[in-house]
């Protein structure tokens, strides 16, 4: 998996940062890509990455503020104009369906692919292929959600050398053993596939949160994740301002990562007031949680198995 940050600013675009959007690309699934939020000019940012609109098959909207959804009609329309016919599912808060339908209808935009809009609620759980998506409501001025993506554990590698030492020839039997099944060999012996599998490969876990004040719900979503993507609109000394505008500080984001025992934290949704001085937020967070990164537009982060 790889996370691409297409927009890492807050509220309005700046010369350094576009508004919110991030993409999660799956390398073991023909490049399938999930988009998280879709601020203005997201499709333009995609042009500077290896991502393709045709490969986006899921879009998760955290909340309906303009800096998170105003790029959506353009992405949906361009995906169709390019000839893509594969289905796309859109997840987000109540009201998202009306926004999409109105935008497409008023602009006379026809989609050549099937579009499904799923309006999420607190506690919702979805299963997509070998991945589970969990939804929790956060604390913002309007309904805002966080998404937890859990990859299922995978069976360990088949220990071929051991099988060859027992005289088990390569072929269809290896497939059955890989599935953990018991088989009988031609000489009458029974062997159990589970005895020839290496350690289980632990599924990856990612939490991508929408705009929010510090909240226990964020800690729950981020529990034991490999990567937590959390907003850091304000600096440590502007906690009251962050609370007033329903946002978080760099230190609060780090506190969530620490309490959740996350492996790494990525700060995003950075206010334009910091301009070239955004590293201040990174340094503040690192004092609380060392493994912290500051996202920048067009920066990517690899999530290894």
């Amino acid at each position: 998996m790889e996370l691409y940050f297409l927009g890492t600013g807050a509220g309005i675009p700046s010369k350094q940062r576009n508004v919110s959007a991030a993409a999660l690309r799956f390398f073991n699934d023909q490049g399938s890509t999930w988009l998280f939020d879709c601020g203005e000019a997201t499709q333009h940012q995609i042009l500077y990455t290896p991502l393709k609109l045709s490969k986006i098959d899921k879009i998760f909207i955290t909340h309906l503020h303009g800096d998170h959804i105003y790029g959506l009609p353009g992405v949906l329309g361009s995906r169709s104009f390019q000839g893509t016919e594969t289905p796309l599912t859109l997840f987000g808060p109540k009201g998202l369906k009306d926004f999409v339908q109105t935008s497409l209808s008023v602009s006379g935009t026809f989609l050549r692919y099937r579009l499904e809009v799923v309006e999420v609620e607190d506690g919702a759980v979805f299963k997509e292929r070998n991945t589970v998506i969990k939804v929790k409501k956060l604390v913002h001025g309007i309904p805002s959600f966080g998404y937890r993506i859990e990859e299922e554990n995978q069976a360990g590698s088949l220990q071929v050398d051991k099988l060859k030492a027992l005289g088990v020839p390569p072929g269809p039997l290896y497939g059955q053993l890989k599935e953990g099944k018991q088989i009988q060999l031609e000489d009458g012996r029974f062997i159990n596939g589970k005895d020839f599998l290496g350690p289980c490969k632990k599924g990856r876990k990612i939490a991508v949160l929408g705009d929010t004040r510090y909240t226990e719900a964020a800690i729950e979503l981020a529990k034991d994740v490999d990567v937590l993507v959390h907003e850091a609109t304000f600096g440590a000394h502007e906690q009251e301002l962050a609370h007033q505008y329903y946002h978080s500080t760099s230190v609060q984001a780090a506190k969530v990562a620490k309490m959740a025992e996350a492996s790494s934290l990525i700060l995003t949704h950075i206010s334009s007031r910091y301009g070239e001085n955004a590293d201040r937020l990174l340094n503040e967070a690192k004092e609380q949680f060392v493994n912290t990164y500051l996202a920048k537009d067009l920066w990517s982060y690899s999530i290894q198995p």
Side-chain angles (χ1 to χ4, degrees):
M1 294 178 181
E2 193 151 18
L3 269 169
Y4 289 86
F5 289 86
L6 305 170
T8 58
I12 57 175
S14 68
K15 291 182 179 179
Q16 292 82 24
R17 299 175 184 275
N18 196 49
V19 285
S20 294
L24 179 63
R25 186 184 185 195
F26 296 83
F27 288 107
N28 60 348
D29 197 16
Q30 292 78 51
S32 174
T33 301
W34 294 0
L35 193 61
F36 293 86
D37 284 331
C38 192
E40 181 183 352
T42 292
Q43 64 169 318
H44 190 263
Q45 295 288 85
I46 286 174
L47 297 176
Y48 297 98
T49 73
L51 305 172
K52 298 181 183 300
L53 289 178
S54 61
K55 295 294 185 179
I56 297 174
D57 56 12
K58 302 284 184 296
I59 300 178
F60 299 87
I61 300 298
T62 62
H63 64 293
L64 302 184
H65 276 153
D67 58 319
H68 294 255
I69 64 168
Y70 282 168
L72 190 53
V75 165
L76 297 178
S78 292
R79 188 178 186 270
S80 181
F81 301 154
Q82 291 178 1
T84 305
E85 297 183 348
T86 52
L88 185 149
T89 306
L90 186 57
F91 300 85
K94 184 177 182 181
L96 181 59
K97 184 177 293 186
D98 286 345
F99 173 77
V100 170
Q101 290 177 342
T102 300
S103 300
L104 298 179
S105 175
V106 170
S107 63
T109 303
F110 169 76
L111 302 183
R112 62 176 67 236
Y113 56 85
R114 179 174 61 83
L115 175 66
E116 180 183 4
V117 181
V118 179
E119 295 188 332
V120 303
E121 296 180 349
D122 186 30
V125 178
F126 303 96
K127 177 75 181 293
E128 299 292 336
R129 296 187 289 273
N130 68 331
T131 307
V132 175
I133 301 103
K134 297 181 179 179
V135 185
K136 290 283 300 176
K137 189 175 182 181
L138 304 171
V139 182
H140 196 47
I142 63 173
S144 181
F145 295 89
Y147 297 96
R148 178 184 174 95
I149 299 90
E150 294 183 357
E151 195 178 39
E152 292 179 347
N153 293 338
Q154 300 176 16
S157 300
L158 191 64
Q159 297 173 327
V160 175
D161 290 345
K162 289 185 177 181
L163 291 171
K164 288 182 177 179
L166 288 176
V168 182
L173 291 180
Y174 277 28
Q176 296 179 46
L177 292 169
K178 173 69 175 175
E179 295 174 1
K181 295 180 179 179
Q182 180 175 278
I183 64 169
Q184 184 176 16
L185 302 178
E186 290 183 358
D187 59 11
R189 289 179 296 161
F190 285 92
I191 60 174
N192 192 326
K194 294 179 180 178
D195 297 331
F196 297 89
L197 294 177
C200 177
K201 297 178 181 178
K202 196 173 182 181
R204 290 161 287 190
K205 299 185 287 291
I206 305 162
V208 181
L209 309 189
D211 293 2
T212 185
R213 287 174 176 168
Y214 175 81
T215 173
E216 294 292 324
I219 298 172
E220 184 177 341
L221 279 170
K223 186 64 178 175
D224 296 324
V225 295
D226 297 286
V227 182
L228 165 62
V229 180
H230 197 296
E231 69 130 293
T233 310
F234 293 98
H237 300 295
E238 294 163 316
Q239 186 170 329
E240 290 186 10
L241 198 59
H243 185 81
Q244 179 183 344
Y245 288 100
Y246 291 91
H247 284 293
S248 297
T249 69
S250 55
V251 171
Q252 288 173 330
K255 182 179 178 181
V256 169
K258 187 174 183 178
M259 296 289 289
E261 298 181 307
S263 295
S264 59
L265 166 67
I266 300 176
L267 304 178
T268 188
H269 203 268
I270 309 302
S271 172
S272 59
R273 72 182 62 206
Y274 299 106
E276 299 289 349
N277 299 315
D279 281 346
R280 161 190 159 188
L281 304 180
L282 176 62
N283 294 332
E284 291 172 349
K286 276 181 167 290
E287 289 182 5
Q288 303 292 325
F289 188 81
V290 174
N291 202 23
T292 300
Y293 302 86
L294 178 67
K296 298 179 181 179
D297 285 20
L298 307 181
W299 175 72
S300 63
Y301 181 85
S302 181
I303 308 167
Q304 298 298 326

